[in-house]
Amino acid sequence: MVVSESFKIVESAYGKAGVKILHVSQNGAVHTIRELEVETSLTLNNHKDYERGDNSDIIATDTQKNTVYILAKQYGISSPEEFGLILANHFISKYPWVVKAKVTLSAHPWQRVTDTAGRPHNHAFVSTPLSVRVASVLLIRGQMPVVSAGIRNLRVLKTTQSAFVNFVSDEYRSLPDFKDRLFSTIVTADWTYGKINQELDFDLAFSTAHDSVLEVFAGPADKGIFSASVQNSQFLTQKMILEKIPQVEKISISMPNVHYFGFDLSKFPRIPGLEGKCSGDVYLPVDKPSGQITSTLARGMITSKL
């Protein structure tokens, strides 16, 4: 008896990555720019292109690329999230055989140049790569869109007001307690909006989340704020964002340790004064290995303050 084995495609998608676009709008003498990198991904209701080489339902990736530029010209780019919604809705509404559209976007950070009088410039901008703003829109036919946003490469450091003590002490431990240490990390954050309503301003929400990360990390300029651990700072950041932005349903944050270890100057006993403060402290940056701290906080009993 010969047993024939069958196979089934359980998942497929295709699209265009690395679609870069700069959009310039004008309101009188004031120009506004948005620079994005866009990735589109479509899932069809059939697999005849894979299984039989029938391309009749394929919306070419080049067509998807062209769509990005055409819709930007027609509707503008008010925010990465809004433009992602425009693109996803277009693919679902125009092509009945598309069952899922995903649009991923990242925004290049531009700010207006400030002149010598402190005025924001009408049409001149400076690149300010403090962090990268990202967004994602997932639209499945017959369902509501899932809109997410996030932060990439937000690198922060503070030289005091951080500790790490009273952790497990066993035969494998070599790390001492640190009652005061240098704390640095590169923040990656992703949050999902549970509801999209007229009160939701995507730009304001991003700024609020971004500022919350810095507020919890740094605290007041003159006094700072104490961090008992990366884990605790992460939780307090997530909690603040959920409290300040009622439309956010959940937020995930990754905060790897970026280590700076004190350089061992005891190896140079013939040079006087190195054991004291001298000009300050000297640290050795070490990127690997590094601790990886991640968590997701979702709405439970937290009550929004807005």
Side-chain angles (χ1 to χ4, degrees):
M1 179 179 178
V2 178
V3 178
S4 61
E5 189 174 3
S6 63
F7 305 94
K8 179 182 179 181
I9 296 175
V10 295
E11 186 175 351
S12 67
Y14 72 99
K16 200 72 163 182
V19 182
K20 296 186 177 183
I21 181 171
L22 174 68
H23 182 268
V24 182
S25 60
Q26 295 180 232
N27 184 7
V30 179
H31 295 192
T32 299
I33 64 173
R34 294 275 191 178
E35 184 175 354
L36 302 177
E37 183 168 326
V38 182
E39 179 176 344
T40 61
S41 178
L42 305 180
T43 298
L44 310 184
N45 64 4
N46 64 79
H47 298 111
K48 61 185 181 182
D49 46 346
Y50 290 88
E51 296 170 336
R52 303 196 301 273
D54 182 344
N55 299 332
S56 58
D57 281 348
I58 291 182
I59 302 103
T61 64
D62 189 68
T63 302
Q64 296 180 42
K65 176 205 69 178
N66 295 339
T67 302
V68 172
Y69 297 111
I70 293 168
L71 294 187
K73 178 66 174 179
Q74 290 177 322
Y75 300 103
I77 302 176
S78 60
S79 71
E81 294 88 349
E82 290 284 359
F83 189 55
L85 283 166
I86 289 172
L87 285 167
N89 276 299
H90 168 84
F91 289 124
I92 291 292
S93 61
K94 183 169 180 59
Y95 307 105
W97 58 94
V98 173
V99 295
K100 181 168 67 175
K102 183 177 181 179
V103 182
T104 306
L105 313 96
S106 63
H108 185 86
W110 290 102
Q111 289 186 359
R112 294 186 185 277
V113 170
T114 302
D115 69 10
T116 56
R119 300 173 301 175
H121 205 283
N122 282 348
H123 57 263
F125 304 84
V126 59
S127 178
T128 54
L130 178 65
S131 63
V132 176
R133 176 180 177 179
V134 298
S136 175
V137 176
L138 175 63
L139 181 57
I140 298 175
R141 185 173 296 280
Q143 299 182 21
M144 296 297 292
V146 177
V147 181
S148 303
I151 300 168
R152 298 289 183 272
N153 301 326
L154 177 57
R155 186 164 184 167
V156 291
L157 181 153
K158 64 181 181 181
T159 53
T160 188
Q161 290 277 54
S162 175
F164 187 54
V165 299
N166 300 325
F167 51 96
V168 173
S169 181
D170 59 16
E171 66 271 29
Y172 297 98
R173 173 177 165 174
S174 62
L175 194 68
D177 281 348
F178 290 101
K179 295 183 178 179
D180 188 32
R181 65 172 181 170
L182 189 151
F183 174 19
S184 180
T185 187
I186 302 173
V187 180
T188 297
D190 291 283
W191 57 91
T192 301
Y193 294 103
K195 53 183 176 181
I196 310 297
N197 52 31
Q198 292 183 344
E199 289 74 30
L200 177 57
D201 181 325
F202 288 115
D203 287 341
L204 179 60
F206 176 81
S207 297
T208 300
H210 192 280
D211 292 346
S212 296
V213 173
L214 299 180
E215 181 178 347
V216 173
F217 179 82
D222 55 343
K223 297 180 180 179
I225 189 171
F226 179 74
S227 170
S229 66
V230 179
Q231 287 87 338
N232 185 239
S233 293
Q234 193 171 100
F235 169 78
L236 294 175
T237 301
Q238 294 164 324
K239 183 173 180 288
M240 178 179 288
I241 291 171
L242 288 175
E243 289 175 337
K244 288 186 174 183
I245 312 173
Q247 295 89 351
V248 172
E249 183 179 68
K250 64 180 180 179
I251 176 168
S252 300
I253 294 182
S254 171
M255 297 172 69
N257 286 319
V258 178
H259 292 298
Y260 292 85
F261 295 126
F263 186 76
D264 183 9
L265 295 166
S266 65
K267 301 175 182 178
F268 310 94
R270 291 183 292 176
I271 301 177
L274 293 181
E275 295 181 358
K277 277 294 184 181
C278 290
S279 67
D281 297 316
V282 176
Y283 294 89
L284 175 65
V286 178
D287 60 345
K288 294 178 181 179
S290 64
Q292 299 287 329
I293 296 90
T294 63
S295 64
T296 300
L297 186 66
R299 290 197 178 275
M301 300 304 295
I302 295 175
T303 302
S304 173
K305 294 182 178 179
L306 294 181

